[in-house]
Amino acid sequence: MPVKSHQHPVIIKASQCRKLCSCGGKHPAPGVTLYAAADAAEVLAADYLALHGGRELLLISDPLTHEVAGARVLAALRAQGVVVDHLLLGDEPSATEELAESVRARALGRELIVAVGAGTVNDLAKYAADRNGMLYWTVPTAPSMNGFTSSISAVKVKGVKLTVPAAPPQRIYADPQIICDAPLKLRQAGFCDVLAKVVSDIDWRIDSLLFDGGYCRLPTSLLSGVEESYSGHPEQIGRGEPAAVMGLFHGLLVSGVAMSLAGSSAPASGGEHLVSHFWDMREPLTGRVPELHGLQVGAGIILSTACYARLAELDGRTLAGRGAAAFDATAARIPGIWGDYADEVARQFIGKRDQLLRFDTLLPLHWPELVPLFRQVRSPEYFLDLFRRTGLDFSLASLRLSADEFLLAARNGRAIRTRITVLDLAAHAGVLDTAAEQTLAMLS
Ligand SMILES: [Zn+2]
Ligand SMILES: [Zn+2]
């Protein structure tokens, strides 16, 4: 039975992808649709009934997301006669592999999963649906990260947070009032996460220029089409003004799709994300519960932009003959930082050793093309000002980070992934430590 009475536009159309692609590659657009209106819960229930009858689904929420949205979705589904298995997670749940596997097992045999929440609830549902080959829909409760539409799920395996491939949902149902009323800290986190793409896009262009040539303008072109609605409006996002917060929310949805369109060969994120992954991975060693993804990425943006500003001042001809020493210095610190996880980190870092050694010839050769890219990046002061104008502090204290832990990530975050980022360029050029000190001073 067709459901025709409501608009469910796809977030990114396939025709847009064809038009904006600059690499000639294939970018199959995930057909994620968005229904955004005050009656999102009731429309979800009616759509479900029309498409799947009353067959049993699994609804996942946590105590907070259930209060703000889940209870209404559950009531709407039951009012339609739909059989609902409701999994209410504990307070502040964490997406561990054990929990993700138990969600997956509980979802087996159900028609579909409905996730009500943001980060963790979405990660769990996406993981379970992907592993089971099931459909899943999501009801976002905050504009806090771009994972609603991305094709990765963050799951903690043996205490270490990893990102694993997992297909995005088919449908998103959002009540704009709930999105706008989300806690300010969550809105600030989403604002940082969406702005990361501005920086990581340059990381990708550099990697492409030096090595594989795989850069495509598509992801950035998609985002620049919506950027206006949020980037200049931090105060309005802070005050929860609907136009700006929904602009941010839409930017996050586009950003998640854009990341998945970039494909596996291209960086979905740059150096600014590595420091956040570093802190996530260090949790079993330090006991520090990670801050919101977007906020940690915000600190990474300040670091990356500080690196770019310093690189732009250098003479590329002086950058030969440094690769081996820069690699060895970072590699030597891995055992002390990572303990039991050192072998895995070392394996990642070794994976880009050849490319790092080739910096000796490639950087002097391509420096005249690289400098204009460095100069395209806005200053760290610009981004920090934007983050703070949302009305919340943005500092190491607000991120619950010590100066030592911050510097450790800034200097060594580049080792945890094989991808080439600005942190590698800065380490090679000898400006990473000073950029890290500058960032530390700005955030203290
Ligand atoms: Zn392309
Ligand atoms: Zn992110």
Side-chain angles (χ1 to χ4, degrees):
M1 192 188 322
V3 182
K4 269 275 152 245
S5 51
H6 301 99
Q7 291 284 309
H8 294 68
V10 286
I11 291 164
I12 299 295
K13 291 196 192 81
S15 60
Q16 262 178 299
C17 293
R18 284 194 296 274
K19 200 168 78 194
L20 296 172
C21 168
S22 66
C23 75
K26 285 202 174 23
H27 304 284
V32 189
T33 63
L34 171 67
Y35 178 80
D39 60 354
E42 290 71 30
V43 171
L44 180 153
D47 286 351
Y48 182 81
L49 187 71
L51 293 165
H52 301 282
R55 287 192 288 274
E56 186 167 13
L57 62 75
L58 178 66
L59 177 85
I60 309 175
S61 58
D62 70 29
L64 283 175
T65 65
H66 200 68
E67 192 185 326
V68 298
R72 184 166 163 184
V73 174
L74 181 61
L77 284 163
R78 287 191 171 146
Q80 296 279 8
V82 175
V83 183
V84 182
D85 176 16
H86 178 212
L87 171 57
L88 182 65
L89 302 169
D91 287 319
E92 301 192 16
S94 169
T96 59
E97 189 181 29
E98 296 73 38
L99 183 55
E101 275 301 314
S102 80
V103 172
R104 189 194 60 74
R106 184 148 162 182
L108 269 179
R110 310 277 190 267
E111 189 75 4
L112 178 132
I113 303 175
V114 175
V116 182
T120 301
V121 176
N122 206 59
D123 281 325
L124 290 167
K126 197 192 280 183
Y127 174 95
D130 190 81
R131 293 298 179 281
N132 286 347
M134 295 171 69
L135 297 171
Y136 107 89
W137 296 355
T138 192
V139 180
T141 51
S144 55
M145 44 100 222
N146 69 7
F148 297 115
T149 48
S150 73
S151 45
I152 48 173
S153 170
V155 177
K156 253 191 228 171
V157 180
K158 297 190 184 73
V160 180
K161 205 188 235 182
L162 301 174
T163 48
V164 295
Q170 290 73 47
R171 290 166 173 248
I172 299 176
Y173 292 85
D175 177 346
Q177 193 65 54
I178 291 173
I179 302 296
C180 294
D181 289 347
L184 173 52
K185 191 172 162 182
L186 296 177
R187 282 177 268 143
Q188 187 190 39
F191 188 53
C192 294
D193 201 28
V194 81
L195 288 169
K197 198 76 195 75
V198 185
V199 184
S200 66
D201 187 63
I202 303 292
D203 279 24
W204 183 12
R205 287 179 71 172
I206 290 169
D207 181 32
S208 172
L209 197 155
L210 295 176
F211 298 106
D212 68 349
Y215 179 75
C216 178
R217 261 179 225 288
L218 169 63
T220 290
S221 301
L222 289 171
L223 264 176
S224 52
V226 295
E227 206 182 330
E228 196 34 46
S229 58
Y230 56 83
S231 63
H233 306 285
E235 290 86 358
Q236 288 89 336
I237 289 169
R239 289 194 295 266
E241 291 182 16
V245 180
M246 290 309 283
L248 167 64
F249 179 60
H250 196 245
L252 288 163
L253 298 182
V254 172
S255 156
V257 175
M259 275 171 61
S260 54
L261 286 173
S264 57
S265 64
S269 55
E272 80 293 333
H273 270 74
L274 288 186
V275 292
S276 177
H277 297 322
F278 183 100
W279 291 317
D280 291 346
M281 285 170 58
R282 289 262 298 168
E283 181 182 356
L285 298 163
T286 61
R288 170 185 172 271
V289 177
E291 244 312 337
L292 291 169
H293 167 80
L295 298 178
Q296 293 190 159
V297 167
I301 292 175
I302 308 301
L303 174 67
S304 281
T305 52
C307 289
Y308 276 119
R310 283 164 194 275
L311 287 167
E313 303 302 318
L314 297 179
D315 179 348
R317 289 169 299 186
T318 64
L319 299 181
R322 294 161 171 257
F327 179 88
D328 291 347
T330 305
R333 292 194 294 263
I334 291 175
I337 296 169
W338 291 106
D340 288 349
Y341 305 103
D343 286 351
E344 177 51 30
V345 173
R347 215 182 347 265
Q348 292 285 330
F349 193 43
I350 290 266
K352 61 181 172 185
R353 183 168 183 271
D354 287 347
Q355 284 175 298
L356 294 174
L357 297 187
R358 287 172 62 201
F359 276 7
D360 283 334
T361 47
L362 293 174
L363 292 184
L365 182 67
H366 290 288
W367 204 250
E369 301 149 83
L370 291 169
V371 170
L373 293 177
F374 302 155
R375 296 215 164 118
Q376 271 186 36
V377 180
R378 303 267 209 151
S379 69
E381 291 81 8
Y382 168 84
F383 282 102
L384 184 57
D385 178 57
L386 275 187
F387 302 162
R388 286 181 172 160
R389 279 165 55 198
T390 59
L392 269 189
D393 184 24
F394 190 91
S395 64
L396 290 189
S398 72
L399 295 165
R400 294 181 288 101
L401 277 170
S402 67
D404 285 348
E405 189 64 15
F406 172 79
L407 287 175
L408 206 60
R411 298 176 69 210
N412 302 287
R414 74 192 193 100
I416 64 172
R417 294 284 192 278
T418 52
R419 137 194 341 149
I420 297 290
T421 74
V422 66
L423 304 179
D424 295 307
L425 269 74
H428 179 98
V431 297
L432 181 58
D433 288 0
T434 46
E437 294 286 351
Q438 179 194 351
T439 308
L440 177 68
M442 288 177 69
L443 295 180
S444 292

